[in-house]
Each structure stands twice: as C-alpha cells, then as structure tokens.
Amino acid sequence: MPRRKRRYWLMKSEPEVYSIEDLERDGQEPWDGVRNYQARNSMRDEMAVGDLVLFYHSNAKPPGVAGVARVCTAAYPDPTAFDPGSDYYDPKSDPEAPRWWMVDVEFVERFDALVSLDALKAEGDGADAPLAGMLVIRRGQRLSVQAVEAAHFAHVLKIARARTRVRVR
DNA sequence: GCCAACGTTGGC
DNA sequence: GCCAACGTTGGC
C-alpha cells in the first residue's frame, strides 16, 4: 500500500493562551478544546502523524504564523469534553461515542520573525499571487484548524526563511 | 471596544 | 426544515 501523502495544516492559538514559545518549551502539546465540527473532522478524519502545521497566533498584535509544528499522534477523544471541571466540558459528549477528537502536536521550529497576516495578505492578493486562495487571509474566516495547500505551506516557509537570512546577515 | 462573519440553538 | 436570535471568533 502506498504511503499516504503528507498533508499540511494551519492551527490557530491565542499566544496569551498557548504560544509557539510554549510549544518550544513543552516539546509536545495535546490540542484539546476544539469545539467546531469542521475542525474536529479535520483532526479526526484527515490528519495523520507527520503532517506539518503552520502555528498561527490569533488575537495577537499582529496576528500571523509564528512557526511550525508536526502532528505526532493519531486522533483520540478529547478528555476535556468529559471533565465537568474543564472550560471545554461538553455534557453531551458521551465517552461511549465521543463527540470531540484531538491530536497532539510537537514543536518543529519557531520563526525568527512572525510571518504576519498582513504579509500573508500581501502575497495572496491577485489571482496569480503565491498565496492566492489561502483560507486564513479570507475575511471572516474563523476556522481554527484549516487545511493548507502544499504550495502555500512552502511559500510561507520561504517568506520566513528570507527574513531569517536578512536578519542574520 | 467595535463589529462582521458565521456556527449553533431552539421555536415553530 | 426554516430561520431569527444568540454566542463566539478574531481582525481592526
């Protein structure tokens, strides 16, 4: 059986809650608390170990991609849904038929400079732009776990690398 | 702090 | 099954 092609993702986190620096420190983190069905479906049905993730800082000044993570577990039921003491408790999620699923992600890299939403938008403006059609730059896009095209993922890395080179020289 | 976008809920 | 009301996200 041919190996499944690696997929690419963008996952949002408010840095005040959990940042790329936190992930760098911790090494690995359970991505619990997602309570949106589309995001749940992505994690439960489409993610696989080894997939790469753009780690996006939302509700930040400025917002943008702060680094890269990697999916490091298969999907499993989100235990916070069963915990009455958790902010993410969902009394309608039954351990026998879990409603909410999650994966763990591990640290890969922290960009030297944030690739800001403005920078993404600047490269996504126009039909032939490198990031044209990227979901995160669309106005009103709230989905916290988004699929990213391989070419878009590569281009975001290219932006980050270009900045590093300038900074380091 | 405002508010556009949009997902969810619940009445019917 | 429609849709108005409501709640949340998240940029600005």
Side-chain angles (χ1 to χ4, degrees):
Chain A
M1 193 130 127
R3 185 168 301 172
R4 167 189 170 284
K5 211 170 166 183
R6 171 186 273 159
R7 293 193 177 118
Y8 299 90
W9 306 94
L10 178 146
M11 293 166 90
K12 297 180 183 175
S13 182
E14 303 190 17
E16 300 256 311
V17 177
Y18 198 81
S19 68
I20 191 73
E21 288 81 9
D22 294 327
L23 185 61
E24 183 171 27
R25 178 197 63 216
D26 298 339
Q28 179 172 345
E29 177 70 6
W31 207 263
D32 57 23
V34 171
R35 296 294 179 267
N36 170 281
Y37 288 105
Q38 206 179 334
R40 187 272 320 260
N41 292 347
S42 291
M43 291 198 290
R44 187 189 60 185
D45 306 334
E46 294 177 41
M47 278 188 184
V49 172
D51 283 0
L52 291 176
V53 178
L54 297 175
F55 194 111
Y56 182 86
H57 282 175
S58 63
N59 257 324
K61 291 176 192 171
V65 179
V68 177
R70 186 191 299 115
V71 176
C72 65
T73 69
Y76 59 98
D78 182 342
T80 63
F82 312 128
D83 175 6
S86 168
D87 287 346
Y88 305 125
Y89 178 56
D90 178 1
K92 286 182 269 188
S93 185
D94 174 7
E96 297 303 309
R99 174 179 296 198
W100 302 114
W101 294 68
M102 55 183 279
V103 299
D104 287 10
V105 301
E106 64 187 0
F107 178 78
V108 174
E109 73 169 289
R110 177 169 55 83
F111 294 159
D112 283 327
L114 187 85
V115 178
S116 70
L117 179 58
D118 279 348
L120 298 175
K121 282 179 172 168
E123 306 264 344
D125 192 23
D128 298 329
L131 298 182
M134 194 177 181
L135 222 51
V136 73
I137 61 183
R138 226 159 66 185
R139 170 185 166 79
Q141 179 53 61
R142 304 185 303 167
L143 192 59
S144 68
V145 177
Q146 308 177 355
V148 171
E149 292 173 24
H152 289 169
F153 185 92
H155 192 74
V156 172
L157 282 194
K158 190 174 161 191
I159 297 171
R161 302 271 184 270
R163 293 190 177 177
T164 301
R165 226 173 291 128
V166 169
R167 213 181 73 88
V168 164
R169 184 168 292 165

